[in-house]
Amino acid sequence: MYSREIFAQRLKDLLDKRGMTQRALAEKLKTTEVTVSRYVSGNRTPNIETTVEIADILNVSLNDLVGIDPPAKQRPSPDVSVLVSCYEKASADDRRVIWSLLDRYMTPEQRILVQSIQSEEKATAV
């Protein structure tokens, strides 16, 4: 979530990290050093156009500049074809073990579907 204080601190840190003075940033923004000082102190927040320009000057994303972490990326699931391939190679006993392990994650509807699949597999095996 956005916070003026976090933005001010991030701006100060980024200026320090790049060895850029508030005056130099003000010149690039075509504004006054006092205005930039107010951004750094948290007494004032730039408009969106100026914020985008600051991010561009400092070569950072808007998220980095304002201190917002993007949502964590979910780890990709294994390819379903790999799981299916392994399942097809498993013995009937191993398949029952696999289903029993997955049972806690299933909805009632999924359990019914699995039971019907297991019934079909038993009928095919006979």
Side-chain angles (χ1 to χ4, degrees):
M1 169 160 270
Y2 173 77
S3 155
R4 180 184 290 194
E5 295 78 22
I6 292 173
F7 168 77
Q9 186 61 52
R10 290 289 298 145
L11 178 56
K12 180 182 182 316
D13 292 346
L14 288 164
L15 288 171
D16 290 345
K17 184 176 180 181
R18 283 157 178 71
M20 183 181 282
T21 64
Q22 292 180 23
R23 173 177 284 164
L25 180 59
E27 288 171 3
K28 290 180 184 248
L29 292 172
K30 296 179 179 54
T31 191
T32 67
E33 188 175 348
V34 170
T35 298
V36 172
S37 175
R38 289 180 179 156
Y39 297 158
V40 171
S41 68
N43 292 327
R44 185 171 177 190
T45 303
N47 63 32
I48 188 65
E49 291 84 4
T50 302
T51 306
V52 169
E53 194 172 352
I54 292 169
D56 187 48
I57 291 166
L58 297 175
N59 196 29
V60 295
S61 71
L62 283 173
N63 281 348
D64 286 341
L65 178 58
V66 299
I68 296 175
D69 293 326
K73 292 182 180 178
Q74 291 184 339
R75 192 177 74 188
S77 298
D79 189 299
V80 174
S81 64
V82 172
L83 298 173
V84 170
S85 173
C86 292
Y87 178 82
E88 289 172 344
K89 294 174 188 174
S91 68
D93 288 339
D94 287 343
R95 288 180 181 188
R96 279 192 291 281
V97 171
I98 291 168
W99 287 121
S100 68
L101 291 171
L102 295 175
D103 184 69
R104 74 177 78 174
Y105 307 105
M106 288 187 230
T107 65
E109 294 81 13
Q110 290 170 326
R111 283 188 186 96
I112 292 169
L113 178 63
V114 168
Q115 288 170 353
S116 69
I117 291 169
Q118 288 174 328
S119 294
E120 282 181 28
E121 288 178 348
K122 283 182 186 175
T124 305
V126 174

